[in-house]
Amino acid sequence: MSRYCLPALMLLVFNAGCVSVPEGAGFESLRKNVSERTVTSLDWPGVTIAETEAEDRIQTLLRAPLTEAAAIEIAILNSPAIQAVYFELEAAAGEYTDRAALPNPFVSAMVLNVEDAPVTNLSYGLGIDLLDILFASRRISAAGLRFEAEQAEAAAALVDYISDVRVAYYNAVAATQISNLMASASEAAHASADVAQALFDAGNIAQINLDREKLLAAEIEFDAMRARTELNAARLHLNAMTGLVGSDASNWVLAGRLQNPPRQLVLEPVKVDENLYLIANDARIDEAGALIGLVSASSLIGEPELEVELERDHGEWENGVGVAFELPVFNWGEGRRRAARAQLAAMIQQRLANHAQLESEAQSLTSEFDTARQIALLYRAEVLPLAGRVLQGAQLDYNAMQIGTMALLDAKREQLAAGRNYVRALQHYWVLKARYDQLAAGGAARSGVETRSDQSGRSVEREGH
Amino acid sequence: MTSRRDALKLAGLGMGALAVGSGQAAAATNPGTLYSSSVAHGPDRSYRPGRAGTDYTPVETPNGSTLPYKIKNGVKIFHLVAEQVDHEFADGLNGRCWGYNGRVHGPTIEAVEGDRVRVYVTNRLPAATSVHWHGVILNSGMDGVSGLNQQAIEPGETFVYEWTFQQFGTFMYHSHHDEMTQMAMGLLGMIVVHPRRPSEPKPDRDFALMLSTWKMRPGERRPDPNEMTDFNILTINGKAYPATTPLVARTGQRVRIRIGNLSAMHHHSIHLHGYAFEETMTDGGLVPLSARRPETTTLVPVGATRTVEFIANNPGDWAMHCHMTHHVMNQMAHGGANMLGVDPAAFQGRVASLLPAYMAMGQTGMGEMGEHIESGHMPVPENSLPMVGSQGPHGYISMGGMFTLLKVRDGITDFANPGWYDDPVGVARPATVEELNRDEVGILNAQTE
């Protein structure tokens, strides 16, 4: 019988097979996926591009006024957060390889001394977890699904990150423009205070009127200071997103201003079913479904083992095959089966909730995005010209001596306020556009989506083992 | 209707007036009937319609006109049409006003004491209206206060008024329905009634001037009737200087100027340069000779007329204007900072860096403003007339609003604007060093040098 046992065991092992993911293969898949979805080319310094070459490229980009595309490219080459995603994916590939491999058999050897006997007895044993062998293909399939989910989640993380960089860039540009406009408003208020001082010196206004102008100038100066602080915070955030530190973080200048939105809205449709987080959800649900049979089996026949033994007893060799398993006398495993089923159902429900959330988000963003576009266009077409005409009218009124210099400067500040509102309208538009594009590319634009279902997935796996 | 007793009284008054007239002034002497008549009036008295040139020297309304009439059965028939009028206050400033017969203000109604007149009033306004004959003695039913004396004239309706002038003098007509709105929009005009038998010399030149005030901020196109205090367009016969047409007379002529004031809230002290004059009439009647005194300024209250007379014996170009200084400004605003004496060096550059078109002004007053604006380098709102005066023979005349000119020339027969006066006697000029030294004006001498 022993002559059949070893081949049978080998056949089982062969049947189980094994999986190996080459190093970097996960990244290539990620690069392709992200490129297709965001038209952004990924590189991995030290892996797909030499680190010196990446550094040269970053320095080249930093020497020119920083564009949105340049900020994203720098982030891809330089952001530790992005590098971490690459490494996490590599780790996931390693775990996949590990999970897909068969568990090693265990070997036992024993020497038994028989008292006063010339020979010793020997005992060799070889055992393997039978359940791992029997369900090997299912387990490998589950590991593949896990890796598929992790790849999708990595791609989603990058889509989200690229969008966050884009938003950080827009915020920095807007903060720059608003800070400049606030500086002009402050200058106008100080000029008004100068006028008041000259009027006071001439004896034409009272101290209280002068003090009011000075108070106004101080308050507007504070607003300008806050705007500068917000600009600094926006630059620092963009530095953090792009991974820039030291002199690299302080020397860059932004290119241009926020552009006006297009007159015609051409939207890439959001295909919610192709959302990366839903793809990850699906893979994890499939993984849990694949592992649920394992849970059922293990709950009925706990930890079955196939053992082969070779024993020399008093010079005679003997062999034998045996099995061992947990006898379900007191615990029939119903609890584990029930838990696994419920967790799978929860994952399915969470996936449905995510789908609904993404659908809602797509519709909401479409509406908000278009409204923001129209507002920005109206600001450009109507409000700014109106504000300009109001200032021009105030200048004419001043020339006609209908108003004084301070009232004219008030009108200037009103025009600058309209300019700030326009910048905010543009900022709103571009941020929403970035979020919409993020969603269309398969990311999750807002925090309402439960993006990962690691907990439930791992729970099933733990139970399975 | 006038009773026989009233007629006798009127007749008596007429006689009295004649008697008084022959003795200097034709003022009624009966208390309560102080208006002026030169002949007797009553139902048993009628006079043929007065004739221009024969019975009176026609009044001239500078920038205005006289309402034409026709005679039917001895009655002078007038027709006023109240309507919206696009009125030019001066070059560059128009307003959507309300007026009569296409004019702001309405044409002067001219008649002779004793004339029977019938006035048709057609309402082409979007609102109801009525016409009050201000100062005219007539029966209550013709007095024109809507609701009180008559129904309002609704849009599209034509009403008829009729009476006999039993007085002479200078009167006015204006809307008496929603007065605040309708008078602010321009519904007013002058009435001149000549004496049937003048007791005083006829004037050679007889002018009628209506004073009024308006509010239109620069750039606006319709007067604001809601304004109560800050009027910024001050007009004579609906025109603000420099659009006012000068009063022209020949040296030696007797000049009569009738001034009515239907401004909303302001009296006007009208000052004439180069002359002293007598205030001969109010809208109540002749001022007794004993009460007349020489003046150079006459105060014309709101809702009153004043008539002044003088012999034009001092040739030249003479300013005539309201002496309330804000009334000789065009579209002056009163809310701006007082820049007089302010040193702009501390802020000019800073403000101009924000507002390139900015130029500090007003530090020495507003005298040059009009020139700046006329030169075009300081554009002002469309449809506005801020601070504008006009170029005169010796520089810029920094006057506006209620300002006009009396031009007296030797030997002229054409009373069109004769142009600027070239004074043969001499014009003020910079003093020479020799003169300053001669008269030992040391400090000025030093400055000149």
Side-chain angles (χ1 to χ4, degrees):
Chain A
M1 185 179 176
S2 63
R3 93 180 68 152
Y4 300 110
C5 287
L6 199 57
L9 190 60
M10 295 303 291
L11 185 63
L12 281 171
V13 169
F14 182 76
N15 177 53
C18 61
V19 170
S20 173
V21 181
E23 194 165 329
F27 176 77
E28 284 306 324
S29 168
L30 177 69
R31 174 149 73 175
K32 183 169 182 295
N33 200 358
V34 171
S35 173
E36 285 173 355
R37 287 169 177 271
T38 65
V39 200
T40 302
S41 177
L42 299 183
D43 261 315
W44 189 353
V47 176
T48 63
I49 181 175
E51 288 186 353
T52 52
E53 188 182 344
E55 180 57 27
D56 288 347
R57 177 66 183 153
I58 290 168
Q59 293 305 321
T60 301
L61 291 169
L62 287 175
R63 277 194 290 275
L66 194 66
T67 62
E68 173 194 329
I72 291 169
E73 191 176 346
I74 291 171
I76 286 167
L77 294 173
N78 198 49
S79 166
I82 290 181
Q83 310 291 311
V85 172
Y86 298 160
F87 281 112
E88 280 175 7
L89 186 60
E90 191 59 22
E95 286 175 7
Y96 174 34
T97 303
D98 186 55
R99 272 193 212 100
L102 275 179
N104 291 324
F106 50 87
V107 175
S108 64
M110 186 177 292
V111 178
L112 295 170
N113 292 316
V114 181
E115 198 172 329
D116 299 331
V119 295
T120 55
N121 291 340
L122 299 173
S123 175
Y124 302 103
L126 178 66
I128 195 164
D129 186 328
L130 192 58
L131 211 56
D132 272 348
I133 301 299
L134 291 173
F135 286 92
S137 63
R138 186 176 287 244
R139 192 169 46 77
I140 291 167
S141 170
L145 289 165
R146 164 72 63 91
F147 186 52
E148 187 182 318
E150 285 168 336
Q151 282 182 306
E153 285 163 0
L158 284 181
V159 166
D160 289 348
Y161 199 90
I162 288 167
S163 179
D164 288 347
V165 172
R166 192 169 275 136
V167 168
Y169 179 83
Y170 295 146
N171 287 341
V173 175
T176 304
Q177 290 183 248
I178 287 173
S179 179
N180 290 339
L181 289 165
M182 273 312 304
S184 293
S186 177
E187 179 63 12
H190 282 294
S192 195
D194 286 350
V195 175
Q197 184 67 57
L199 285 165
F200 178 77
D201 291 344
N204 296 3
I205 61 171
Q207 182 74 46
I208 185 174
N209 301 114
L210 172 60
D211 290 344
R212 281 189 176 128
E213 284 300 318
K214 286 182 173 177
L215 185 61
L216 180 65
E219 285 173 352
I220 294 175
E221 174 63 31
F222 297 153
D223 289 341
M225 288 167 67
R226 290 186 195 102
R228 286 197 295 275
T229 303
E230 285 168 14
L231 168 59
N232 190 45
R235 287 181 62 96
L236 289 173
H237 183 57
L238 187 54
N239 281 337
M241 296 300 295
T242 51
L244 293 173
V245 293
S247 60
D248 287 346
S250 55
N251 291 339
W252 52 267
V253 293
L254 289 164
R257 301 174 170 187
L258 293 176
Q259 297 299 304
N260 218 30
R263 294 201 171 279
Q264 297 298 325
L265 184 64
V266 181
L267 285 180
E268 187 73 22
V270 174
K271 297 171 183 168
V272 172
D273 286 330
E274 294 177 15
N275 183 273
L276 288 162
Y277 289 107
L278 293 186
I279 289 171
N281 283 168
D282 289 341
R284 287 190 185 278
I285 288 167
D286 290 346
E287 177 200 6
L291 291 174
I292 205 163
L294 202 58
V295 173
S296 299
S298 69
S299 64
L300 286 171
I301 311 170
E303 299 184 8
E305 290 178 4
L306 175 65
E307 293 178 356
V308 179
E309 279 196 18
L310 184 64
E311 188 174 317
R312 188 180 72 179
D313 188 8
H314 296 93
E316 294 293 325
W317 286 95
E318 296 171 347
N319 62 59
V321 176
V323 293
F325 55 86
E326 177 187 316
L327 193 62
V329 175
F330 306 109
N331 181 355
W332 287 64
E334 178 55 29
R336 276 182 283 168
R337 290 194 299 277
R338 185 176 160 191
R341 284 196 303 271
Q343 284 162 356
L344 177 60
M347 291 169 70
I348 292 169
Q349 292 305 315
Q350 185 58 57
R351 195 272 185 200
L352 290 172
N354 286 348
H355 188 279
Q357 176 66 30
L358 289 164
E359 281 276 4
S360 161
E361 198 168 291
Q363 290 176 17
S364 172
L365 267 177
T366 303
S367 168
E368 288 179 52
F369 172 41
D370 192 37
T371 301
R373 183 186 67 88
Q374 291 179 44
I375 289 173
L377 285 173
L378 277 172
Y379 255 101
R380 176 74 177 177
E382 303 285 342
V383 177
L384 288 188
L386 273 175
R389 287 210 296 278
V390 167
L391 178 60
Q392 190 180 20
Q395 178 70 60
L396 295 178
D397 271 355
Y398 170 78
N399 291 349
M401 298 193 85
Q402 301 299 301
I403 60 171
T405 304
M406 289 186 286
L408 178 59
L409 287 165
D410 284 347
K412 178 64 184 177
R413 286 206 308 276
E414 286 169 9
Q415 186 210 27
L416 291 167
R420 290 197 300 277
N421 288 337
Y422 170 56
V423 171
R424 289 192 183 101
L426 285 178
Q427 180 186 15
H428 194 208
Y429 165 78
W430 285 108
V431 166
L432 285 173
K433 182 181 187 311
R435 294 312 185 196
Y436 183 89
D437 291 345
Q438 177 184 357
L439 199 61
R446 288 175 182 164
S447 58
V449 177
E450 180 62 49
T451 53
R452 290 177 185 262
S453 42
D454 290 7
Q455 284 305 110
S456 52
R458 281 174 186 159
S459 168
V460 170
E461 187 183 35
R462 262 200 310 278
E463 293 299 327
H465 281 78
Chain B
M1 288 294 100
T2 308
S3 67
R4 178 173 294 274
R5 179 178 298 176
D6 292 336
L8 287 173
K9 184 163 69 179
L10 288 169
L13 280 175
M15 293 301 289
L18 277 176
V20 172
S22 62
Q24 296 294 315
T29 55
N30 195 343
T33 53
L34 293 172
Y35 56 83
S36 298
S37 303
S38 63
V39 293
H41 298 281
D44 55 342
R45 300 286 184 128
S46 63
Y47 299 93
R48 58 174 168 71
R51 297 158 298 174
T54 304
D55 296 317
Y56 60 92
T57 303
V59 73
E60 184 176 327
T61 308
N63 299 109
S65 67
T66 299
L67 185 63
Y69 61 86
K70 55 191 174 187
I71 298 172
K72 292 274 189 183
N73 299 323
V75 178
K76 286 185 174 175
I77 311 295
F78 297 90
H79 187 189
L80 285 174
V81 179
E83 58 194 346
Q84 179 165 300
V85 177
D86 188 11
H87 174 64
E88 183 183 83
F89 292 97
D91 186 21
L93 180 63
N94 283 55
R96 292 174 191 165
C97 302
W98 291 354
Y100 296 104
N101 299 46
R103 306 193 68 88
V104 169
H105 304 296
T108 299
I109 295 176
E110 190 171 23
V112 176
E113 178 192 0
D115 279 351
R116 183 74 178 169
V117 297
R118 187 175 300 138
V119 185
Y120 290 91
V121 178
T122 298
N123 182 4
R124 289 186 187 154
L125 298 169
T129 190
S130 71
V131 182
H132 166 58
W133 318 99
H134 184 115
V136 178
I137 305 300
L138 35 62
N139 63 298
S140 175
M142 294 293 160
D143 199 42
V145 180
S146 69
L148 175 66
N149 305 116
Q150 64 168 86
Q151 291 182 346
I153 311 170
E154 296 298 328
E157 289 184 334
T158 298
F159 272 39
V160 60
Y161 298 81
E162 185 168 339
W163 69 89
T164 299
F165 280 112
Q166 52 193 286
Q167 62 189 131
F168 63 87
T170 306
F171 315 106
M172 302 177 285
Y173 64 91
H174 59 83
S175 164
H176 221 300
H177 177 86
D178 187 13
E179 269 196 359
M180 185 199 80
T181 301
Q182 298 198 357
M183 291 177 69
M185 292 292 287
L187 285 174
L188 36 111
M190 297 287 285
I191 299 173
V192 171
V193 182
H194 300 278
R196 176 67 56 175
R197 291 180 188 163
S199 60
E200 298 187 19
K202 287 183 184 176
D204 301 301
R205 302 287 289 151
D206 193 348
F207 300 100
L209 307 179
M210 171 66 85
L211 311 177
S212 55
T213 56
W214 314 74
K215 181 59 181 280
M216 281 205 317
R217 294 160 195 85
E220 294 179 350
R221 299 181 302 282
R222 189 188 299 277
D224 180 4
N226 299 328
E227 182 58 55
M228 184 174 175
T229 55
D230 192 13
F231 299 92
N232 63 350
I233 304 169
L234 294 297
T235 59
I236 299 173
N237 286 339
K239 297 287 183 181
Y241 188 78
T244 49
T245 296
L247 285 54
V248 182
R250 184 170 59 242
T251 307
Q253 285 187 314
R254 173 174 289 273
V255 177
R256 176 179 292 166
I257 304 175
R258 307 165 188 264
I259 310 166
N261 180 12
L262 284 178
S263 301
M265 304 294 290
H266 289 125
H267 313 309
H268 299 291
S269 54
I270 300 298
H271 173 59
L272 175 62
H273 294 214
Y275 287 92
F277 53 72
E278 276 190 336
E279 193 175 278
T280 58
M281 281 188 285
T282 71
D283 39 344
L286 281 171
V287 177
L289 286 176
S290 59
R292 297 182 191 181
R293 60 183 183 188
E295 297 277 9
T296 62
T297 300
T298 182
L299 180 65
V300 189
V302 174
T305 70
R306 296 289 181 267
T307 300
V308 300
E309 287 188 29
F310 56 93
I311 303 298
N313 54 10
N314 190 9
D317 286 342
W318 304 108
M320 180 177 174
H321 58 94
C322 177
H323 220 290
M324 296 188 179
T325 54
H326 286 243
H327 291 183
V328 286
M329 300 294 284
N330 282 324
Q331 290 193 303
M332 172 76 189
H334 301 100
N338 172 16
M339 296 296 288
L340 205 62
V342 171
D343 178 6
F347 59 83
Q348 167 73 44
R350 198 169 195 177
V351 177
S353 70
L354 292 159
L355 300 158
Y358 175 78
M359 186 178 79
M361 57 188 180
Q363 302 91 297
T364 59
M366 301 179 184
E368 285 77 41
M369 277 305 303
E371 278 184 286
H372 283 307
I373 290 164
E374 280 198 350
S375 70
H377 72 265
M378 281 184 57
V380 292
E382 288 286 324
N383 200 47
S384 66
L385 196 66
M387 315 294 165
V388 168
S390 71
Q391 287 294 338
H394 303 292
Y396 198 78
I397 302 171
S398 55
M399 305 295 281
M402 215 167 262
F403 181 93
T404 189
L405 294 170
L406 170 69
K407 289 174 174 275
V408 180
R409 298 288 188 273
D410 294 335
I412 59 171
T413 53
D414 178 3
F415 295 100
N417 188 342
W420 298 113
Y421 185 68
D422 185 11
D423 194 335
V425 178
V427 176
R429 53 168 174 73
T432 65
V433 174
E434 292 72 23
E435 289 168 330
L436 291 166
N437 288 336
R438 178 193 68 202
D439 296 328
E440 298 177 354
V441 187
I443 188 165
L444 291 177
N445 192 4
Q447 286 178 348
T448 304
E449 289 171 345

